[in-house]
Every structure is written in C-alpha cells, then in structure tokens.
Amino acid sequence: MDKKVGIVGVASYVPEKILTNFDLEKMVDTSDQWIRERTGISERRIADDDMPTSYLATKAGKRALEDANIKPEELDLIIVSTVTPDQFFPSTACIVQKHLGAANATAFDISAACSGLIYAMSAAEQYIKTGFYKNALIIAADALSKITDWQDRNTCVLFGDGAGAFVLSEVEEGGILSIQMGSDGTGDKQLTCPACFFTPEDEEKRNGKKHTTWMNGGEIFKYAVKIMPYALEKAMDKAGITAEQIDWFVPHQANLRIISVAARKFDVDMDKFIVTLEKFGNTSASSIPIALDISIKSGKIKKGDKLAMAAFGGGLTWGSAVIVL
Ligand code: ACO
C-alpha cells in the first residue's frame, strides 16, 4: 500500500543585504508609491557577489535537516528547484549535497520557475510513497538578482533572492493530501532568460541582453489571476476539501493584487492568506517555503493545520497542493 508522505522539516534562508524601494528610485524611473500600490512590495533581499544559489540552498537545506532532526547521511534524495543554477552543470543539487555531506543521496535539479517547489514536492512524494526512498530534502533556491536587468523597471522592482526547504518523509497521519500541476509551453515567450539560445526576434526585443530576465508583465498578470484560483480549486477538489476547511492559504508571493483576486474568488478573508512579499519581493519558487517557515516560527501556523499552496511561473507552469502540516 502507498505510504503517507508529509513535511517533517521546514526552513528558509534569505541574505542580509536589503534593497528598498527608495534604493530603486535612485536606479530606475520608479517610486516607492508605485511599487507598493501596484505590487505590495517594499523591500527585497540581495545575495552578495560571492553568494551563488548553492550557498542560499545549502543554508536553507541545513536548517531544514535540523528542524526535521535528520542527519545528512540519512538523506536518500535532494532535489533543488532553481532557475539560477550556479552553473549549467553540475546541478546545484550536487553542489548542495557536497556542502551538506549527504553522501548517500541522489541529487538533481528541476526547472519549473516559480512553480518548482510544488514540482519538486510531487517528484519526492512519488519516491517516498512507493518505498523507493525514505527521506527527501527539497529546496527551492534562487538568486534572481544575478539575472535581473537593473535598468528595466518592469522587472527589477519585483524580484528578490532567497531559499526555502522541506524535508519529506513517511508520516502516520495527515501529510500531503493532494498535488496538482500543469504547464503551458505556448506561453514560453512571456517570461524568459535565454542565456543559451537567442532567436533574431529575441535579439531585437531584448537589445542584446541574453542573460537577464525579460517579462511581459501584463500577460503574466492575466495568466496569474486565472491560474491561482484554478490551481487552488483543483488541489482542494482532489483532496475533497472546501476553502472554508483550509486553515491557511500559502500562495506564491508575486503580487498582492494577484493574491487578493484569489481571496475574493473563494470569498475568504485576506487574513487567511499568508503574505510576506512586502519584505522579500518575489523570490521565485522559494517564496512559498519562506512564507511557511516565517509563519511557523512566529507561531501563526501550527502542526496539524490544513494548508493550501499555489504557485505559477515561467514556462508557463502552475502547481498546487493541500497538506496537513
Ligand atoms: N515604476 C513606475 N512605473 C512602472 C514600473 C515601475 N517599476 N513598471 C512599469 N511601470 C509603468 C509602465 O511602463 C506603464 O507605463 P505606460 O502606461 O506609460 O506604458 C505603467 O506603469 C503601467 O504598466 P502596467 O504593466 O500596466 O502595470 P501593472 O499595473 O500591470 O503592473 C506588474 C505591472 C506589477 C509587472 C504586473 O503586471 C504584474 O505583477 N505582473 C505579474 C508579474 C509576475 O507575477 N511575475 C512573476 C511570475 S513568477 C516567475 O516565474 C518568476
């Protein structure tokens, strides 16, 4: 029989350096008021030049192992979700494995942009459910600042750096009740960082900037306000749970307006939605575990609470989950 899989450790790490909206006012034609009103973001964290994604990921991973009271050598699997790997190869997961001393783990990366934490959780769940592996560490980590075009006000005000991690193992009760995911490659041009391959069309549109993020903000916004409620609904339906039964919604932290649309759709008070984007901006797939970790540490979210998570991102991709902590 399939085993029940749950989150037995949660942690996060953000770099210390803070970049405020007022700092950004000196870099591009923007204002604190515009950024707060249109996104809800006030500040974000920025990794130092000598802090690659593996550094952030290792910090979060180590803390998650401590939280789960599991030794690195007890890990069977490490999955890192990132769109800012240290290098094209080796995988960031292998670098993290080395730093953690998790000698018995298989390690690999996945790429699903901001939905990557859900994708990683779903992959790890399958391995544990079937008994193939016992303990998995999934980490979402990104140093988006390293691929940000700091002259582009459409994107540079949105993103921040950070990492979040879950340890997944077999649990007696509760755990993951449902995971749902989807992808739409027809939206591949809406949010990109080409790096390897540049079409002539990209070349013209991007003004030769191959290694920085470009986004069609309006299109992503339209996608997000549709897909976030859809993703939550799919996961709740599969779990056989209604919005009223959810204790906390933990959404991807991209824009306060996108989160508010989801709250209105389910007629749920905004207080039930965890919002941390004011302090960290959009940290890609790590935004959900960072939000969860902060809320657990502050005593807001407790063991046994029912959580609904939903993310969307480049690809285009989306993913959602209902979990009893
Ligand atoms: N400061 C001041 N003005 C700005 C800024 C800025 N930082 N950015 C854009 N503007 C301007 C635009 O140039 C435009 O000016 P114009 O009318 O003269 O052309 C005006 O503000 C309005 O622009 P809109 O794009 O309509 O602004 P909108 O209200 O849609 O907000 C935003 C833009 C915040 C980017 C919004 O579209 C959004 O949040 N989109 C979703 C982004 C997202 O979630 N991305 C992450 C995906 S997850 C992942 O995979 C990483």
Side-chain angles (χ1 to χ4, degrees):
M1 214 182 77
D2 279 353
K3 297 173 193 304
K4 273 187 203 292
V5 181
I7 300 174
V8 299
V10 179
S12 63
Y13 174 78
V14 289
E16 275 175 26
K17 197 195 287 171
I18 295 173
L19 184 73
T20 66
N21 291 349
F22 297 104
D23 296 326
L24 282 162
E25 282 181 358
K26 294 178 204 134
M27 296 160 66
V28 285
D29 181 15
T30 192
S31 67
D32 170 60
Q33 190 187 357
W34 191 96
I35 303 169
R36 276 191 293 105
E37 283 178 6
R38 307 307 293 162
T39 71
I41 300 165
S42 291
E43 57 188 51
R44 66 289 290 145
R45 300 299 179 97
I46 304 293
D48 290 338
D49 288 346
D50 61 355
M51 276 182 195
T53 293
S54 64
Y55 177 90
L56 311 177
T58 303
K59 287 268 191 196
K62 200 162 187 279
R63 289 176 181 180
L65 289 179
E66 282 160 14
D67 193 49
N69 203 15
I70 281 181
K71 294 191 193 72
E73 53 274 23
E74 290 177 85
L75 276 180
D76 305 299
L77 177 66
I78 299 172
I79 307 177
V80 173
S81 159
T82 186
V83 291
T84 51
D86 293 13
Q87 301 161 0
F88 289 130
F89 65 90
S91 70
T92 303
C94 277
I95 302 170
V96 170
Q97 180 202 17
K98 175 184 75 174
H99 291 321
L100 290 177
N104 301 313
T106 301
F108 61 87
D109 288 359
I110 61 159
S111 169
C114 300
S115 313
L117 188 269
I118 307 283
Y119 279 52
M121 184 158 62
S122 134
E125 186 201 16
Q126 303 308 313
Y127 286 111
I128 299 169
K129 208 153 112 171
T130 55
F132 193 88
Y133 284 142
K134 232 173 136 194
N135 300 316
L137 174 64
I138 60 165
I139 306 174
D142 270 305
L144 291 177
S145 66
K146 299 194 193 299
I147 58 162
T148 294
D149 178 352
W150 291 106
Q151 291 165 337
D152 177 14
R153 69 177 184 174
N154 293 297
T155 52
C156 74
V157 303
L158 302 176
F159 301 117
D161 299 337
F166 294 163
V167 177
L168 300 181
S169 297
E170 187 183 351
V171 291
E172 292 293 314
E173 52 190 46
I176 298 169
L177 303 188
S178 71
I179 297 184
Q180 295 278 276
M181 292 171 293
S183 309
D184 177 10
T186 63
D188 66 335
K189 297 282 182 203
Q190 307 301 346
L191 177 51
T192 64
C193 176
C196 288
F197 177 71
F198 227 16
T199 61
E201 175 205 341
D202 287 330
E203 175 76 51
E204 196 175 328
K205 185 172 74 182
R206 311 274 310 256
N207 205 13
K209 291 180 177 173
K210 198 175 185 177
H211 290 90
T212 51
T213 301
W214 182 90
M215 180 178 70
N216 183 344
E219 280 306 308
I220 296 289
F221 191 86
K222 277 192 255 166
Y223 175 72
V225 294
K226 262 196 282 174
I227 211 71
M228 177 86 95
Y230 173 81
L232 286 169
E233 192 146 33
K234 289 274 281 183
M236 290 190 292
D237 281 356
K238 191 162 181 219
I241 275 174
T242 62
E244 298 82 63
Q245 293 171 291
I246 296 292
D247 295 305
W248 300 104
F249 292 83
V250 191
H252 172 45
Q253 308 283 314
N255 187 319
L256 189 57
R257 289 188 287 147
I258 296 169
I259 297 174
S260 314
V261 169
R264 278 202 300 277
K265 158 87 174 99
F266 295 110
D267 201 16
V268 165
D269 200 290
M270 262 304 268
D271 288 351
K272 273 195 157 192
F273 278 72
I274 302 295
V275 178
T276 53
L277 56 77
E278 189 194 353
K279 293 278 177 209
F280 305 109
N282 178 350
T283 60
S284 189
S286 67
S287 82
I288 287 179
I290 290 173
L292 183 58
D293 184 39
I294 288 172
S295 307
I296 293 172
K297 302 273 165 13
S298 71
K300 193 169 183 174
I301 294 184
K302 298 183 177 61
K303 189 146 180 55
D305 283 354
K306 258 191 211 91
L307 314 175
M309 304 171 177
F312 60 89
L316 303 169
T317 57
W318 64 267
S320 53
V322 172
I323 293 168
V324 178
L325 196 63

